[in-house]
Coordinates of all heavy atoms in Angstrom, one line a residue:
M1 N 125.4 48.1 151.3 CA 126.5 47.9 152.2 C 127.5 47.0 151.5 O 127.2 46.0 150.9 CB 126.0 47.0 153.4 CG 127.0 46.8 154.5 SD 126.5 45.6 155.8 CE 126.6 44.1 155.0
I2 N 128.8 47.5 151.5 CA 129.9 46.9 150.8 C 130.9 46.4 151.9 O 131.3 47.2 152.7 CB 130.5 47.7 149.9 CG1 129.5 48.2 148.7 CG2 131.7 47.0 149.1 CD1 130.1 49.2 147.7
D3 N 131.2 45.1 151.9 CA 132.1 44.5 152.8 C 133.5 44.5 152.2 O 133.8 43.7 151.3 CB 131.7 43.1 153.1 CG 132.5 42.4 154.2 OD1 133.6 42.9 154.4 OD2 132.1 41.4 154.7
K4 N 134.3 45.5 152.6 CA 135.6 45.6 152.1 C 136.5 44.4 152.2 O 137.3 44.1 151.4 CB 136.3 46.8 152.5 CG 135.8 48.1 152.0 CD 136.7 49.3 152.3 CE 136.3 50.5 151.6 NZ 137.2 51.7 151.6
A5 N 136.3 43.6 153.3 CA 137.1 42.3 153.5 C 136.8 41.4 152.4 O 137.7 40.6 152.0 CB 136.8 41.8 154.9
K6 N 135.5 41.4 151.9 CA 135.2 40.4 150.8 C 135.5 40.9 149.4 O 135.6 40.2 148.4 CB 133.8 40.1 150.9 CG 133.5 39.2 152.1 CD 132.0 38.8 152.1 CE 131.5 38.0 153.3 NZ 130.0 37.8 153.4
C7 N 135.6 42.2 149.2 CA 135.7 42.9 147.9 C 137.1 42.5 147.4 O 138.1 42.6 148.0 CB 135.6 44.4 148.1 SG 136.0 45.3 146.5
K8 N 137.1 42.1 146.0 CA 138.3 41.7 145.3 C 138.8 42.7 144.5 O 139.8 42.6 143.6 CB 138.2 40.4 144.7 CG 137.6 39.2 145.4 CD 138.7 38.8 146.4 CE 138.2 37.5 147.2 NZ 138.9 37.4 148.4
G9 N 138.0 43.8 144.4 CA 138.5 45.0 143.5 C 138.4 44.8 142.1 O 139.0 45.4 141.2
C10 N 137.4 44.0 141.6 CA 137.2 43.7 140.2 C 136.6 44.8 139.4 O 136.8 45.0 138.2 CB 136.4 42.5 140.0 SG 134.6 42.7 140.5
G11 N 135.8 45.7 140.1 CA 135.3 46.9 139.4 C 134.0 46.7 138.8 O 133.4 47.6 138.1
M12 N 133.5 45.5 138.8 CA 132.2 45.2 138.2 C 131.0 46.0 138.7 O 130.2 46.6 137.9 CB 131.7 43.7 138.3 CG 132.7 42.8 137.4 SD 132.6 43.2 135.6 CE 130.9 42.7 135.2
C13 N 130.9 46.2 140.0 CA 129.9 47.0 140.5 C 129.9 48.5 140.1 O 128.9 49.1 139.8 CB 129.9 46.9 142.1 SG 131.4 47.5 142.8
T14 N 131.1 49.0 140.0 CA 131.2 50.4 139.6 C 130.9 50.7 138.1 O 130.2 51.6 137.8 CB 132.8 50.9 139.8 OG1 133.5 50.1 138.8 CG2 133.2 50.9 141.1
S15 N 131.0 49.6 137.3 CA 130.7 49.7 135.9 C 129.2 49.6 135.6 O 128.6 50.1 134.7 CB 131.5 48.9 135.0 OG 131.3 47.5 135.3
V16 N 128.5 48.9 136.6 CA 127.0 48.6 136.2 C 126.1 49.6 136.9 O 124.9 49.6 136.5 CB 126.6 47.1 136.6 CG1 127.3 46.2 135.7 CG2 126.7 46.9 138.0
C17 N 126.5 50.3 138.0 CA 125.6 51.1 138.7 C 125.2 52.2 137.7 O 126.0 53.0 137.3 CB 126.4 51.8 139.9 SG 125.3 53.0 140.8
P18 N 123.8 52.2 137.5 CA 123.3 53.3 136.6 C 123.4 54.8 137.1 O 123.3 55.7 136.4 CB 121.8 52.9 136.5 CG 121.6 52.1 137.6 CD 122.8 51.4 138.1
G19 N 123.7 54.9 138.4 CA 123.9 56.2 138.9 C 125.3 56.6 139.2 O 125.6 57.7 139.8
S20 N 126.2 55.7 138.9 CA 127.6 55.9 139.0 C 128.0 56.3 140.5 O 128.7 57.3 140.8 CB 128.2 57.1 138.2 OG 128.0 56.8 136.8
L21 N 127.4 55.5 141.5 CA 127.4 55.8 142.8 C 128.6 55.1 143.5 O 129.0 55.4 144.7 CB 126.1 55.5 143.5 CG 124.8 56.1 142.9 CD1 123.6 55.5 143.7 CD2 124.9 57.6 143.2
I22 N 129.1 54.1 142.7 CA 130.2 53.3 143.5 C 131.6 53.6 143.0 O 131.8 53.8 141.8 CB 130.0 51.8 143.3 CG1 128.5 51.5 143.6 CG2 130.9 51.0 144.0 CD1 128.1 50.0 143.4
Y23 N 132.5 53.9 144.0 CA 133.8 54.2 143.6 C 134.9 53.1 144.1 O 134.4 52.3 144.8 CB 134.2 55.6 144.2 CG 133.4 56.6 143.8 CD1 132.0 56.9 144.3 CD2 133.8 57.5 142.8 CE1 131.2 58.0 143.8 CE2 133.0 58.6 142.3 CZ 131.7 58.7 142.9 OH 131.0 59.8 142.5
Q24 N 136.1 53.2 143.7 CA 137.1 52.3 144.3 C 138.2 53.1 144.9 O 138.5 54.2 144.5 CB 137.7 51.4 143.2 CG 136.6 50.4 142.6 CD 137.2 49.6 141.5 OE1 137.1 49.9 140.4 NE2 137.8 48.4 141.8
D25 N 138.6 52.6 146.1 CA 139.7 53.3 146.8 C 141.1 53.0 146.3 O 141.2 52.3 145.3 CB 139.6 53.1 148.4 CG 139.9 51.7 148.7 OD1 140.5 50.9 147.9 OD2 139.5 51.3 149.9
S26 N 142.1 53.5 146.9 CA 143.5 53.3 146.3 C 143.8 51.8 146.4 O 144.8 51.3 145.6 CB 144.5 54.0 147.2 OG 144.4 53.7 148.5
E27 N 143.2 50.9 147.1 CA 143.4 49.5 147.0 C 142.4 48.8 146.1 O 142.2 47.5 146.2 CB 143.3 48.9 148.5 CG 144.5 49.5 149.3 CD 144.2 49.0 150.7 OE1 143.2 48.9 151.3 OE2 145.3 48.7 151.4
K28 N 141.6 49.6 145.3 CA 140.6 49.0 144.4 C 139.4 48.5 145.2 O 138.5 47.9 144.5 CB 141.1 47.9 143.5 CG 142.4 48.3 142.7 CD 142.0 48.9 141.5 CE 143.1 49.2 140.5 NZ 142.8 50.3 139.6
K29 N 139.3 48.7 146.4 CA 138.1 48.2 147.2 C 136.9 49.2 146.9 O 137.0 50.4 146.9 CB 138.4 48.3 148.7 CG 139.6 47.4 149.1 CD 139.2 46.0 149.2 CE 140.4 45.1 149.8 NZ 140.0 43.7 149.8
A30 N 135.7 48.6 146.7 CA 134.6 49.4 146.4 C 134.0 50.0 147.5 O 134.0 49.6 148.6 CB 133.6 48.5 145.7
F31 N 133.5 51.3 147.3 CA 132.7 51.9 148.4 C 131.7 52.8 147.8 O 131.8 53.2 146.6 CB 133.6 52.8 149.3 CG 134.3 54.0 148.7 CD1 133.6 55.2 148.8 CD2 135.5 53.8 147.9 CE1 134.3 56.3 148.2 CE2 136.0 55.0 147.3 CZ 135.4 56.1 147.5
I32 N 130.5 53.1 148.4 CA 129.5 54.0 147.9 C 129.6 55.2 148.7 O 129.6 55.2 150.0 CB 128.1 53.3 148.0 CG1 127.1 54.1 147.5 CG2 127.7 52.7 149.4 CD1 125.7 53.4 147.1
K33 N 129.6 56.3 147.9 CA 129.9 57.7 148.5 C 128.7 58.2 149.2 O 128.8 58.7 150.3 CB 130.5 58.6 147.4 CG 131.4 59.6 148.0 CD 132.1 60.4 146.7 CE 133.0 61.4 147.1 NZ 133.7 62.0 145.9
Y34 N 127.6 58.1 148.5 CA 126.4 58.7 149.1 C 125.2 57.6 149.0 O 124.4 57.5 148.1 CB 126.0 59.9 148.2 CG 126.9 61.0 148.0 CD1 127.7 61.2 146.9 CD2 127.3 61.8 149.2 CE1 128.7 62.1 146.8 CE2 128.3 62.8 149.1 CZ 128.9 62.9 147.9 OH 129.9 63.9 147.8
P35 N 125.3 56.8 150.1 CA 124.3 55.7 150.1 C 122.8 56.1 150.0 O 122.0 55.4 149.4 CB 124.5 55.0 151.5 CG 125.9 55.4 151.8 CD 126.1 56.7 151.3
K36 N 122.5 57.3 150.3 CA 121.2 57.7 150.3 C 120.7 58.0 148.9 O 119.5 58.0 148.6 CB 120.9 59.0 151.1 CG 121.5 60.3 150.6 CD 121.1 61.4 151.4 CE 121.8 62.7 151.0 NZ 121.7 63.0 149.7
D37 N 121.7 58.1 147.9 CA 121.3 58.3 146.5 C 121.0 56.9 145.8 O 120.5 56.9 144.7 CB 122.4 59.0 145.8 CG 122.6 60.4 146.3 OD1 121.6 61.0 146.8 OD2 123.6 61.0 145.9
C38 N 121.3 55.8 146.5 CA 121.0 54.5 145.9 C 119.5 54.3 145.9 O 118.9 54.4 146.8 CB 121.7 53.4 146.8 SG 121.2 51.7 146.4
W39 N 119.0 53.8 144.7 CA 117.6 53.5 144.7 C 117.3 52.0 144.6 O 116.2 51.7 144.2 CB 116.9 54.2 143.4 CG 117.5 53.8 142.0 CD1 117.0 52.9 141.3 CD2 118.5 54.6 141.3 NE1 117.8 52.9 140.1 CE2 118.7 54.0 140.1 CE3 119.3 55.7 141.7 CZ2 119.7 54.4 139.1 CZ3 120.3 56.1 140.8 CH2 120.5 55.4 139.5
G40 N 118.3 51.2 145.0 CA 118.1 49.8 145.2 C 117.8 49.0 143.9 O 117.0 48.0 144.1
C41 N 118.4 49.3 142.8 CA 118.1 48.5 141.6 C 118.7 47.1 141.7 O 118.3 46.3 141.0 CB 118.7 49.2 140.4 SG 120.4 49.2 140.2
A42 N 119.6 47.0 142.6 CA 120.2 45.6 142.8 C 121.2 45.1 141.8 O 121.6 44.1 141.7 CB 119.2 44.5 143.1
S43 N 121.5 46.0 140.8 CA 122.5 45.6 139.7 C 123.8 45.3 140.3 O 124.4 44.3 139.9 CB 122.6 46.7 138.7 OG 121.4 47.0 138.1
C44 N 124.3 46.0 141.2 CA 125.7 45.8 141.8 C 125.8 44.5 142.5 O 126.7 43.8 142.3 CB 126.1 47.0 142.7 SG 124.9 47.3 144.1
I45 N 124.7 44.1 143.2 CA 124.8 42.9 144.0 C 124.8 41.7 143.1 O 125.4 40.7 143.4 CB 123.9 42.8 145.2 CG1 122.4 42.8 144.8 CG2 124.1 43.9 146.1 CD1 121.5 42.6 146.0
K46 N 124.0 41.8 142.0 CA 124.0 40.7 141.1 C 125.3 40.5 140.3 O 125.8 39.4 140.0 CB 122.9 41.0 140.0 CG 121.5 40.6 140.6 CD 120.4 40.6 139.5 CE 120.2 42.0 139.0 NZ 119.0 42.0 138.1
E47 N 126.1 41.6 140.1 CA 127.3 41.5 139.4 C 128.6 41.2 140.3 O 129.5 40.6 139.8 CB 127.6 42.9 138.8 CG 126.8 43.2 137.5 CD 126.9 42.3 136.4 OE1 128.0 41.6 136.2 OE2 125.9 41.9 135.8
C48 N 128.4 41.4 141.6 CA 129.4 41.0 142.5 C 129.5 39.5 142.7 O 128.6 38.9 143.3 CB 129.3 41.6 143.8 SG 130.7 41.2 145.0
H49 N 130.5 38.8 142.2 CA 130.6 37.4 142.4 C 131.4 36.9 143.6 O 131.7 35.8 143.8 CB 131.4 36.7 141.1 CG 130.5 37.1 139.8 ND1 129.4 36.3 139.5 CD2 130.8 37.9 138.9 CE1 129.0 36.8 138.4 NE2 129.7 37.7 138.0
F50 N 131.5 37.9 144.5 CA 132.3 37.5 145.7 C 131.5 37.8 147.0 O 131.9 37.7 148.1 CB 133.6 38.4 145.8 CG 134.5 38.1 144.6 CD1 134.4 39.1 143.5 CD2 135.2 37.1 144.5 CE1 135.3 38.8 142.4 CE2 136.0 36.9 143.4 CZ 136.0 37.7 142.3
G51 N 130.2 38.1 146.8 CA 129.2 38.3 147.9 C 129.6 39.5 148.8 O 129.3 39.4 150.0
A52 N 130.2 40.5 148.1 CA 130.7 41.6 149.0 C 129.6 42.6 149.2 O 129.8 43.6 150.1 CB 131.9 42.2 148.4
I53 N 128.6 42.5 148.4 CA 127.5 43.6 148.5 C 126.2 43.1 149.0 O 125.8 42.0 148.6 CB 127.3 44.3 147.2 CG1 128.6 44.7 146.6 CG2 126.4 45.5 147.2 CD1 128.5 45.5 145.1
A54 N 125.6 43.8 149.9 CA 124.2 43.5 150.4 C 123.4 44.6 150.4 O 123.9 45.8 150.5 CB 124.3 42.9 151.8
L55 N 122.1 44.5 150.3 CA 121.1 45.7 150.2 C 120.2 45.7 151.3 O 119.7 44.6 151.7 CB 120.4 45.5 148.9 CG 119.5 46.7 148.4 CD1 120.3 47.8 148.0 CD2 118.7 46.2 147.2
Y56 N 120.1 46.7 152.0 CA 119.2 46.9 153.1 C 117.7 47.2 152.5 O 117.7 48.1 151.6 CB 119.5 48.0 154.1 CG 120.6 47.6 155.1 CD1 121.8 48.2 154.9 CD2 120.3 46.8 156.1 CE1 122.8 47.7 155.9 CE2 121.3 46.4 157.0 CZ 122.6 46.9 157.0 OH 123.5 46.5 157.7
L57 N 116.8 46.4 152.9 CA 115.4 46.7 152.3 C 114.8 47.5 153.3 O 114.4 47.1 154.4 CB 114.7 45.3 152.1 CG 115.4 44.3 151.3 CD1 114.6 43.0 151.3 CD2 115.5 44.8 149.9
G58 N 114.4 48.7 152.7 CA 113.8 49.7 153.6 C 112.3 49.3 154.0 O 111.6 48.5 153.5
A59 N 111.8 50.1 155.0 CA 110.4 50.0 155.5 C 109.5 50.2 154.5 O 108.3 49.7 154.4 CB 110.2 50.9 156.7
D60 N 109.8 51.2 153.5 CA 108.8 51.6 152.5 C 108.5 50.5 151.6 O 107.4 50.4 150.9 CB 109.3 52.8 151.6 CG 110.7 52.6 151.2 OD1 111.4 51.7 151.7 OD2 111.0 53.2 150.1
I61 N 109.3 49.4 151.4 CA 109.0 48.3 150.6 C 108.8 47.0 151.4 O 108.9 45.9 151.0 CB 110.0 48.0 149.5 CG1 111.4 47.8 150.2 CG2 110.1 49.1 148.5 CD1 112.5 47.2 149.2
G62 N 108.6 47.2 152.8 CA 108.3 46.1 153.7 C 109.4 45.4 154.2 O 109.2 44.4 154.9
G63 N 110.6 45.9 153.9 CA 111.8 45.2 154.4 C 112.2 45.4 155.8 O 112.9 44.7 156.5
M64 N 111.8 46.6 156.3 CA 112.1 47.0 157.7 C 113.6 46.7 158.1 O 113.9 46.3 159.1 CB 111.2 46.2 158.6 CG 109.8 46.5 158.4 SD 109.2 48.1 158.9 CE 109.2 48.0 160.6
G65 N 114.5 47.0 157.1 CA 115.9 46.8 157.4 C 116.5 45.5 157.2 O 117.5 45.1 157.5
S66 N 115.6 44.6 156.5 CA 116.1 43.3 156.2 C 117.3 43.4 155.3 O 117.5 44.4 154.5 CB 115.1 42.4 155.4 OG 113.9 42.3 156.3
L67 N 118.3 42.5 155.3 CA 119.5 42.4 154.5 C 119.3 41.4 153.4 O 119.1 40.2 153.6 CB 120.6 42.1 155.4 CG 122.0 42.5 154.9 CD1 122.1 44.0 154.7 CD2 123.1 42.1 155.9
M68 N 119.5 41.9 152.1 CA 119.3 40.9 151.0 C 120.6 40.8 150.2 O 121.4 41.7 149.9 CB 118.3 41.6 149.9 CG 118.0 40.6 148.9 SD 116.6 41.3 147.9 CE 117.4 42.5 147.0
T69 N 121.0 39.5 149.9 CA 122.2 39.2 149.2 C 121.7 38.3 148.1 O 120.6 37.7 148.1 CB 123.3 38.5 150.0 OG1 122.7 37.4 150.7 CG2 123.8 39.5 151.1
V70 N 122.6 38.0 147.1 CA 122.2 37.1 146.1 C 123.4 36.2 145.6 O 124.6 36.6 145.7 CB 121.8 38.0 144.7 CG1 122.8 38.8 144.3 CG2 121.1 37.1 143.7
K71 N 123.0 34.9 145.3 CA 124.0 34.0 144.8 C 123.5 33.7 143.4 O 122.4 33.4 143.1 CB 124.0 32.7 145.6 CG 124.6 32.8 147.0 CD 124.8 31.6 147.7 CE 123.7 30.9 148.4 NZ 123.0 31.5 149.4
S72 N 124.6 33.7 142.5 CA 124.3 33.5 141.1 C 124.9 32.3 140.5 O 126.1 32.0 140.8 CB 124.7 34.8 140.3 OG 124.4 34.6 139.0
T73 N 124.2 31.4 139.8 CA 124.8 30.4 139.0 C 124.4 30.7 137.6 O 123.7 31.6 137.2 CB 124.3 28.9 139.4 OG1 122.9 28.8 138.9 CG2 124.3 28.7 140.9
P74 N 125.0 29.9 136.5 CA 124.6 30.3 135.1 C 123.1 30.2 134.9 O 122.7 30.9 134.1 CB 125.4 29.1 134.3 CG 126.6 28.9 135.2 CD 126.1 29.0 136.7
D75 N 122.4 29.4 135.6 CA 121.0 29.2 135.3 C 120.1 29.9 136.4 O 118.8 29.9 136.1 CB 120.6 27.6 135.3 CG 121.3 27.0 134.0 OD1 121.6 27.7 133.1 OD2 121.5 25.8 134.2
T76 N 120.5 30.1 137.6 CA 119.7 30.6 138.7 C 120.2 31.8 139.4 O 121.5 32.1 139.4 CB 119.5 29.4 139.8 OG1 120.7 29.2 140.4 CG2 118.9 28.3 139.1
L77 N 119.3 32.6 140.0 CA 119.7 33.5 141.0 C 118.9 33.2 142.3 O 117.7 32.8 142.3 CB 119.1 34.9 140.6 CG 119.8 35.8 139.6 CD1 119.1 37.0 139.3 CD2 121.2 36.1 140.0
T78 N 119.7 33.1 143.4 CA 118.9 32.9 144.7 C 119.1 34.2 145.5 O 120.2 34.5 145.8 CB 119.6 31.7 145.3 OG1 119.6 30.6 144.4 CG2 118.9 31.4 146.7
W79 N 117.9 34.7 145.8 CA 117.9 35.9 146.7 C 117.7 35.5 148.1 O 116.7 34.7 148.4 CB 116.8 36.8 146.2 CG 116.9 37.4 144.9 CD1 116.4 36.9 143.7 CD2 117.6 38.5 144.4 NE1 116.7 37.6 142.7 CE2 117.6 38.7 143.1 CE3 118.4 39.5 145.1 CZ2 118.1 39.7 142.4 CZ3 118.9 40.5 144.4 CH2 118.8 40.6 143.1
D80 N 118.6 35.8 149.0 CA 118.5 35.4 150.4 C 118.2 36.7 151.2 O 118.9 37.9 151.1 CB 119.9 35.0 150.9 CG 120.2 33.5 150.4 OD1 119.2 32.7 150.6 OD2 121.3 33.3 149.9
I81 N 117.2 36.6 152.0 CA 116.8 37.7 152.8 C 116.9 37.4 154.2 O 116.3 36.4 154.7 CB 115.3 38.1 152.4 CG1 115.3 38.7 151.0 CG2 114.9 39.4 153.4 CD1 113.9 38.8 150.4
K82 N 117.7 38.1 155.1 CA 117.7 37.9 156.4 C 117.0 39.1 157.1 O 117.3 40.2 157.0 CB 119.3 38.0 156.8 CG 120.0 36.8 156.5 CD 121.5 36.9 157.2 CE 122.3 35.8 156.4 NZ 123.7 36.2 156.4
K83 N 116.0 38.6 157.9 CA 115.1 39.6 158.5 C 115.6 40.0 159.9 O 116.5 39.3 160.4 CB 113.7 39.1 158.7 CG 113.0 38.8 157.3 CD 111.6 38.3 157.3 CE 111.2 38.0 155.9 NZ 109.9 37.5 155.7
R84 N 115.2 41.2 160.3 CA 115.7 41.6 161.6 C 115.4 40.7 162.8 O 116.1 40.7 163.8 CB 115.1 43.0 161.9 CG 115.8 44.1 161.0 CD 115.2 45.4 161.1 NE 115.5 46.0 162.5 CZ 115.0 47.1 162.9 NH1 114.1 47.8 162.2 NH2 115.3 47.5 164.0
D85 N 114.3 40.0 162.7 CA 113.9 39.0 163.8 C 114.8 37.6 163.6 O 114.6 36.8 164.5 CB 112.4 38.7 163.8 CG 112.0 38.0 162.5 OD1 112.9 37.6 161.7 OD2 110.8 37.8 162.3
G86 N 115.6 37.7 162.8 CA 116.6 36.5 162.6 C 116.0 35.4 161.6 O 116.8 34.5 161.3
S87 N 114.9 35.6 161.2 CA 114.3 34.5 160.2 C 114.9 34.9 158.8 O 115.4 36.0 158.6 CB 112.7 34.7 160.2 OG 112.4 35.9 159.8
K88 N 114.7 33.8 158.0 CA 115.4 34.0 156.7 C 114.3 33.6 155.6 O 113.4 32.7 155.8 CB 116.6 33.0 156.5 CG 117.7 33.4 157.4 CD 118.9 32.5 157.2 CE 120.0 32.9 158.2 NZ 121.2 32.0 158.1
E89 N 114.6 34.1 154.4 CA 113.6 33.8 153.3 C 114.5 33.7 152.1 O 115.6 34.4 151.9 CB 112.7 34.9 153.0 CG 111.4 34.6 152.0 CD 110.5 35.7 152.0 OE1 110.3 36.5 153.0 OE2 109.7 35.7 150.9
E90 N 114.3 32.6 151.3 CA 115.0 32.4 150.0 C 114.1 32.4 148.8 O 113.1 31.8 148.8 CB 115.7 31.0 150.2 CG 116.7 30.8 149.1 CD 117.3 29.4 149.3 OE1 118.4 29.3 150.1 OE2 116.9 28.5 148.6
I91 N 114.5 33.2 147.9 CA 113.7 33.3 146.6 C 114.5 32.8 145.3 O 115.6 33.4 145.1 CB 113.2 34.7 146.4 CG1 112.3 35.1 147.4 CG2 112.3 34.7 145.0 CD1 112.0 36.7 147.5
L92 N 114.1 31.7 144.8 CA 114.9 31.0 143.8 C 114.3 31.5 142.4 O 113.1 31.2 142.2 CB 114.9 29.5 143.9 CG 115.7 28.8 142.8 CD1 117.2 29.1 142.9 CD2 115.5 27.3 143.0
I93 N 115.1 32.0 141.5 CA 114.7 32.5 140.1 C 115.4 31.7 139.1 O 116.8 31.6 139.2 CB 115.0 33.9 139.9 CG1 114.4 34.8 141.1 CG2 114.6 34.4 138.6 CD1 112.9 35.0 141.0
N94 N 114.8 31.0 138.3 CA 115.3 30.4 137.1 C 115.5 31.4 136.0 O 114.5 32.0 135.5 CB 114.4 29.3 136.7 CG 115.1 28.5 135.5 OD1 115.9 29.0 134.8 ND2 114.7 27.1 135.4
K95 N 116.8 31.7 135.8 CA 117.0 32.8 134.7 C 116.4 32.6 133.4 O 116.0 33.5 132.7 CB 118.5 33.0 134.6 CG 119.3 33.5 135.8 CD 120.7 33.7 135.4 CE 121.5 34.0 136.6 NZ 123.0 34.0 136.3
K96 N 116.3 31.3 133.0 CA 115.7 30.9 131.7 C 114.3 31.2 131.6 O 113.7 31.4 130.7 CB 116.0 29.5 131.4 CG 117.6 29.3 131.1 CD 117.7 27.8 130.8 CE 119.3 27.7 130.6 NZ 119.7 26.2 130.7
E97 N 113.6 31.3 132.7 CA 112.1 31.4 132.8 C 111.8 32.8 133.3 O 110.6 33.2 133.4 CB 111.5 30.4 133.9 CG 111.7 29.0 133.3 CD 111.0 28.0 134.2 OE1 110.5 28.5 135.3 OE2 110.9 26.9 133.8
S98 N 112.8 33.7 133.7 CA 112.5 34.9 134.3 C 111.7 35.9 133.4 O 110.9 36.9 133.8 CB 113.8 35.6 134.8 OG 114.6 35.9 133.7
N99 N 111.8 35.7 132.0 CA 111.1 36.6 131.1 C 109.6 36.3 130.9 O 108.9 36.9 130.3 CB 111.7 36.7 129.8 CG 113.0 37.5 129.8 OD1 113.1 38.3 130.7 ND2 113.9 37.2 128.9
K100 N 109.2 35.1 131.6 CA 107.8 34.8 131.6 C 106.9 35.5 132.4 O 105.7 35.7 132.2 CB 107.7 33.4 132.2 CG 108.0 32.2 131.2 CD 107.7 30.9 131.9 CE 108.1 29.7 131.1 NZ 108.0 28.4 131.8
Y101 N 107.5 36.3 133.3 CA 106.6 37.0 134.3 C 106.6 38.5 134.1 O 107.5 39.1 133.5 CB 107.3 36.8 135.8 CG 107.3 35.3 136.1 CD1 108.6 34.7 135.9 CD2 106.1 34.6 136.3 CE1 108.7 33.4 136.3 CE2 106.3 33.2 136.6 CZ 107.5 32.6 136.6 OH 107.6 31.3 136.8
Ligands
SF4_201 S1 131.9 43.7 142.2 FE1 132.3 43.0 144.3 S2 134.5 42.3 144.3 FE2 134.1 43.6 142.5 S3 134.7 45.7 143.2 FE3 132.4 45.5 143.5 S4 132.2 44.9 145.6 FE4 134.4 44.5 145.0
SF4_202 S1 121.7 49.1 144.1 FE1 121.7 50.0 141.9 S2 121.8 52.3 142.3 FE2 122.2 51.3 144.3 S3 124.5 51.3 144.3 FE3 123.8 49.3 143.4 S4 123.8 49.5 141.2 FE4 123.8 51.6 142.1

């Protein structure tokens, strides 16, 4: 899901999508033409520094339509998951330690 109101038109998401699924309209706002082709690699949401992209977590991976966004700092990634029942989960990743796992 791309929120056009938050999109600044930087184009980072279009350049990192491995499936070339994201395009920009005449105002440089990003949009995904065929959402069903997205395989949820999350590259685009990590690259968007404006919080404009969120990923729906499907039932097949236990998400049941939960909405996932990410906040990035130089040292950390914080994955925020909003579940359909209104509850929230936060997963903090230290980028410097991420290769340990
Ligand atoms: S990375 Fe974010 S701000 Fe940049 S074009 Fe994509 S959605 Fe818009
Ligand atoms: S989640 Fe991955 S495959 Fe899906 S639109 Fe974003 S970069 Fe492309």
